[in-house]
Amino acid sequence: MLFDQNSLSYGAAITHTAGAGPFTITQPGLYLVSFHGTVSATPTATFPVTIVTSLEENGAIVPGASIPHNFQSAAETEPMSFSVVVAVTETPTTLQVVGTGGSYLSNAIALTITRLGDVPS
């Protein structure tokens, strides 16, 4: 998913280019990642179709950060959200929200990443 703008940001531990999908973590630590938005299947989809919205860390799905929904028609819109803590031990690390399972449209999406502190040793 593409995030068209950046909101409040402090420090250099998290970077993102407006209009892009990936967020880059440049400092090891624990990060709270929260996503919310609405998703719908495209009108050209073959229904029913299951769309899964997931958080990926360096291309791998983060456990606990996937939301599936079985769409019955293009008129259906589903709010989707997740919050998960990610332990980043190697940098740079890329975080990205992706949709799989079919063509989809996303609307009013937001991703908030907050550094909580160091990874306990």
Side-chain angles (χ1 to χ4, degrees), residues 45-59:
T46 302
F47 294 94
V49 62
T50 299
I51 307 291
V52 181
T53 303
S54 303
L55 177 66
E56 288 185 351
E57 179 182 2
N58 294 330

Side-chain angles (χ1 to χ4, degrees), residues 105-119:
L105 302 169
S106 57
N107 191 24
I109 60 172
L111 186 71
T112 302
I113 304 173
T114 305
R115 187 174 190 281
L116 301 175
D118 295 333
V119 175

Side-chain angles (χ1 to χ4, degrees), residues 64-83:
S66 289
I67 307 112
H69 183 76
N70 190 327
F71 291 91
Q72 302 300 315
S73 75
E76 193 176 347
T77 299
E78 182 67 17
M80 296 193 171
S81 64
F82 58 74
S83 289

Side-chain angles (χ1 to χ4, degrees), residues 25-101:
I25 308 298
T26 59
Q27 181 181 0
L30 296 174
Y31 291 84
L32 175 62
V33 182
S34 299
F35 167 81
H36 66 86
T38 59
V39 176
S40 59
T42 60
T44 57
T46 302
F47 294 94
V49 62
T50 299
I51 307 291
V52 181
T53 303
S54 303
L55 177 66
E56 288 185 351
E57 179 182 2
N58 294 330
I61 294 175
V62 174
S66 289
I67 307 112
H69 183 76
N70 190 327
F71 291 91
Q72 302 300 315
S73 75
E76 193 176 347
T77 299
E78 182 67 17
M80 296 193 171
S81 64
F82 58 74
S83 289
V84 64
V85 174
V86 176
V88 174
T89 56
E90 295 182 18
T91 58
T93 290
T94 301
L95 299 176
Q96 186 167 355
V97 178
V98 298
T100 57

